[in-house]
Amino acid sequence: THFGSKTVPMSSKADLVGEVFSSVAGNYDVMNDVMSAGVHRLWKDYFVSDVMRVGETTSYLSQNPPTPTSPPIPYFRHLDVAGGTGDISFRSLDSINLSLSHPPHTPPTPGIPCPATVTVCDINPDMLRVGESRAVELYSSHNVEKMSDRTSEDGLSSSKPLSFWEGDAQSLPFEDDTFDIYSICFGLRNVTEPDKAIEDAYRILKPGGRLLIMEFSHPKNDAIAAAYDAYSFNVIPEMGERIAGDRDSYQYLVESIRKFYKQEELVDVMKEKGFVEVGYEELNFGVVAIHSGWKI
Ligand code: SAM
């Protein structure tokens, strides 16, 4: 694999991805705003509030498709994989607080399980630590279980609404049939073997649970594809150099988007791993796609 000025064998993709995200962690949130002119916020808002509808979503088994009037499942569990600095989890938590009429930011009662929890899992502790500090600032430490709060034997927290976990999407540190929603946002293309991550998503979802993938994709319109190519190959690495002093990491990000599955290919992998009702929706002419599938 050619990566900026370096040539990297495929086997070290995991090391490379680790270096890239440790290197960008401190600037990650600012760079997202700069490179997408803030549009990533709209994509994430849409993903969580219109597609995921966490607090409203019921199980596939009890009602399909879920409607805004279907009752929330008690003890609803959302896992956000490759959750990085927390963008998806914060939106999810806010929508749960709203739809379950919980006053946001109030401390949970110790020993009483939260009706809904959001778990962030990422392979990179540097990204997670940025997420943890943002979370504590937003929700106070009463509501946030950090990586350092947990001893290795501890299972999934049930008394704090938001928790942070270090783990690999290809072999998640959670038991089978645990979560109602698995989301992965701009993360799957960074996983060494994305198929394995989809297989593990199937394992940890409850029957009736839903997999949602938001990822950069491939515009089908030639003119848009050409404009997008010009922007990503010329402008993004240059911005990475000038703003974050890190051309190589941003060159990697662009190349990883080009190599990732086409829309239909990802549908096929999801079906092959057992998901049903698999489909996708394109945003901004296919610059981004949201894939969805259910475990039954
Ligand atoms: N989801 C966040 C967002 O949308 O802002 C972060 C996306 S960031 C582009 C990609 C994330 O994927 C990084 O935080 C990286 O550490 C994580 N990642 C890469 N490989 C992973 C793996 N095998 N398992 C879990 N996370 C991984």
Side-chain angles (χ1 to χ4, degrees), residues 17 21 28 44 82-84 122-124 127 167-169 185-186 190-191:
V17 168
F21 286 103
Y28 179 78
K44 288 169 180 168
D122 196 289
I123 204 167
N124 190 309
M127 292 289 279
D168 185 342
C185 172
F186 303 123
N190 298 298
V191 175

Side-chain angles (χ1 to χ4, degrees), residues 23-295:
S23 157
V24 302
N27 294 311
Y28 179 78
D29 296 309
V30 171
M31 286 304 285
N32 268 350
D33 278 336
V34 172
M35 288 185 308
S36 72
V39 174
H40 77 107
R41 292 173 183 249
L42 304 179
W43 290 332
K44 288 169 180 168
D45 286 347
Y46 178 73
F47 184 60
V48 175
S49 56
D50 292 346
V51 183
M52 196 177 301
R53 299 210 312 266
V54 177
E56 298 161 358
T57 307
T58 184
S59 164
Y60 183 90
L61 296 180
S62 57
Q63 189 175 358
N64 178 41
T67 69
T69 52
S70 53
I73 319 176
Y75 305 116
F76 188 89
R77 303 282 174 251
H78 170 200
L79 174 66
D80 185 45
V81 176
T85 60
D87 272 2
I88 297 300
S89 64
F90 304 155
R91 284 169 172 78
S92 174
L93 204 59
D94 291 344
S95 74
I96 289 168
N97 279 332
L98 289 176
S99 62
L100 295 182
S101 334
H102 283 175
H105 320 321
T106 49
T109 319
I112 308 278
C114 285
T117 59
V118 184
T119 305
V120 179
C121 181
D122 196 289
I123 204 167
N124 190 309
D126 294 319
M127 292 289 279
L128 287 166
R129 274 189 284 269
V130 175
E132 287 180 341
S133 352
R134 292 175 79 199
V136 167
E137 215 161 280
L138 281 170
Y139 303 106
S140 98
S141 54
H142 299 295
N143 288 307
V144 181
E145 187 191 83
K146 294 190 190 182
M147 295 178 283
S148 58
D149 296 339
R150 190 180 311 115
T151 62
S152 56
E153 309 87 62
D154 280 351
L156 195 64
S157 164
S158 60
S159 60
K160 289 196 175 187
L162 181 58
S163 61
F164 286 83
W165 288 74
E166 190 179 335
D168 185 342
Q170 298 165 111
S171 55
L172 292 164
F174 306 111
E175 290 177 7
D176 299 2
D177 303 339
T178 302
F179 294 96
D180 298 284
I181 283 198
Y182 172 122
S183 61
I184 183 165
C185 172
F186 303 123
L188 191 59
R189 72 174 193 283
N190 298 298
V191 175
T192 313
E193 293 184 59
D195 297 27
K196 278 197 187 159
I198 293 173
E199 201 171 302
D200 216 39
Y202 193 87
R203 180 184 68 77
I204 59 87
L205 277 169
K206 294 177 193 167
R210 188 179 192 189
L211 166 66
L212 284 167
I213 302 169
M214 179 153 78
E215 189 50 272
F216 288 110
S217 198
H218 302 269
K220 291 170 187 162
N221 176 296
D222 289 345
I224 291 184
Y228 178 56
D229 270 356
Y231 176 75
S232 33
F233 282 105
N234 303 323
V235 179
I236 289 188
E238 188 64 30
M239 279 191 188
E241 169 81 47
R242 291 193 186 188
I243 301 167
D246 184 359
R247 171 179 289 269
D248 279 358
S249 292
Y250 289 90
Q251 181 78 28
Y252 158 78
L253 293 178
V254 170
E255 290 177 9
S256 65
I257 292 170
R258 283 303 169 283
K259 290 190 190 121
F260 189 64
Y261 291 126
K262 302 252 175 357
Q263 288 85 323
E264 296 299 337
E265 291 169 343
L266 184 53
V267 166
D268 290 344
V269 177
M270 290 167 71
K271 285 183 179 165
E272 193 187 299
K273 299 300 176 193
F275 288 95
V276 299
E277 304 272 335
V278 178
Y280 67 89
E281 178 182 351
E282 296 180 337
L283 307 185
N284 293 69
F285 308 101
V287 168
V288 167
I290 298 175
H291 282 70
S292 159
W294 300 83
K295 169 175 173 176

